[in-house]
Amino acid sequence: MDNLQQILLEQINLNLQSISLYIEKLSREEIKLDLNQIHLINYSNHEWLNISEYQSMREKLEKENQEAVNAIMNKDFGEYCRRVCLQIEVLLNKFIIEYNKDNIQDTKSSKFKRLNYFFENVREEDKKYKKIINNIMNIRDIASHGDSKGRSILNRVEIKGKRITIKLQELKKTVFKKEIQDIFSIFVDYRHQYNPNITGEIEKGYAYIILYDLKDEYFDPNSIVEHIESNRTTYRHSLGNDFKIFLHKSQPQNELKDFFEKQDYAQIKDTMNWFIQEIGKILK
């Protein structure tokens, strides 16, 4: 090999090394950028979880936390909420066991009931966090179950989160709240104490009806008004001969849909850190 060939090979080798270092630098910068966007919950920052008796629980939490990070990187907000929800449930179960030792069966109740118990008995005033956790739980349920109609997660989130308000006027004086609830329960999939939710002053002839978990055929609120009007003869016995029905001019915001579309990981991280801290105050 003459001198010229050797010089060329050395130059090629130097160029390859420079390219390799440049690629490595780019990779490091990309990872640094990603970490800034991941919003990883750092459980080691919560001192009570460093106690040996909570070691196994912390390991479960960190495992699900890592899966939540993977979901962020895969841009799968539904899976992210599912993994965060699993962490919430671990913390809630531990809280119930320690705080309510005489009623441990509550750990088998729904996650929503356990969450309500926490806020009713410990942190009633922090309703903004309750709303966020409820949203996480609802999206977790939607993401974890298939849909026989092939609807997208966003479409199902919109259906789940939609609420409508209907107003009744000129009701007869003897109508009962339960009668109104019975009439409007046909429009919802899941009836319970607050669905339909009846407010207003019925004895003065008016009421507001808030509905959610609507059946598919009544997703358009106008269809509910049209149904009542077209069956006026049937309902006038309960509501009165001259009752009036119309959509309230101010309809509730679809907060669940807004939450899903916003995908505010920083807000969820802040909520989780608050929740972990509050649970720790009870368990320490």
Side-chain angles (χ1 to χ4, degrees), residues 174-200:
T174 56
V175 67
F176 293 101
K177 182 176 179 179
K178 186 178 184 306
E179 289 181 276
I180 299 174
Q181 192 174 47
D182 287 343
I183 290 170
F184 284 89
S185 66
I186 66 171
F187 304 118
V188 301
D189 270 326
Y190 307 104
R191 173 182 174 171
H192 51 74
Q193 182 181 358
Y194 301 109
N195 189 28
N197 186 19
I198 314 298
T199 61

Side-chain angles (χ1 to χ4, degrees), residues 90-205:
V90 169
L91 291 161
L92 272 177
N93 283 348
K94 191 65 177 176
F95 160 74
I96 293 289
I97 289 170
E98 295 299 324
Y99 187 82
N100 192 20
K101 293 181 179 179
D102 295 331
N103 197 18
I104 292 178
Q105 66 267 26
D106 277 358
T107 59
K108 296 180 181 179
S109 64
S110 78
K111 54 185 174 289
F112 294 100
K113 287 183 179 179
R114 281 177 274 147
L115 184 68
N116 286 338
Y117 182 87
F118 170 79
F119 278 94
E120 287 168 2
N121 290 274
V122 181
R123 302 301 303 174
E124 186 176 2
E125 68 274 18
D126 291 299
K127 292 185 178 178
K128 69 171 184 177
Y129 291 118
K130 182 180 180 182
K131 190 172 291 186
I132 292 168
I133 295 174
N134 265 312
N135 286 338
I136 292 168
M137 288 178 169
N138 277 311
I139 291 173
R140 177 266 180 204
D141 286 351
I142 294 168
S144 296
H145 300 94
D147 183 70
S148 59
K149 297 180 181 178
R151 295 172 294 194
S152 67
I153 289 182
L154 177 58
N155 187 217
R156 285 181 281 154
V157 166
E158 181 180 10
I159 292 168
K160 177 69 177 177
K162 184 163 186 175
R163 276 142 173 77
I164 66 170
T165 302
I166 290 172
K167 187 174 183 181
L168 292 173
Q169 283 185 336
E170 298 186 27
L171 298 168
K172 70 177 186 180
K173 293 181 179 179
T174 56
V175 67
F176 293 101
K177 182 176 179 179
K178 186 178 184 306
E179 289 181 276
I180 299 174
Q181 192 174 47
D182 287 343
I183 290 170
F184 284 89
S185 66
I186 66 171
F187 304 118
V188 301
D189 270 326
Y190 307 104
R191 173 182 174 171
H192 51 74
Q193 182 181 358
Y194 301 109
N195 189 28
N197 186 19
I198 314 298
T199 61
E201 295 185 70
I202 299 173
E203 67 279 4
K204 292 184 179 180

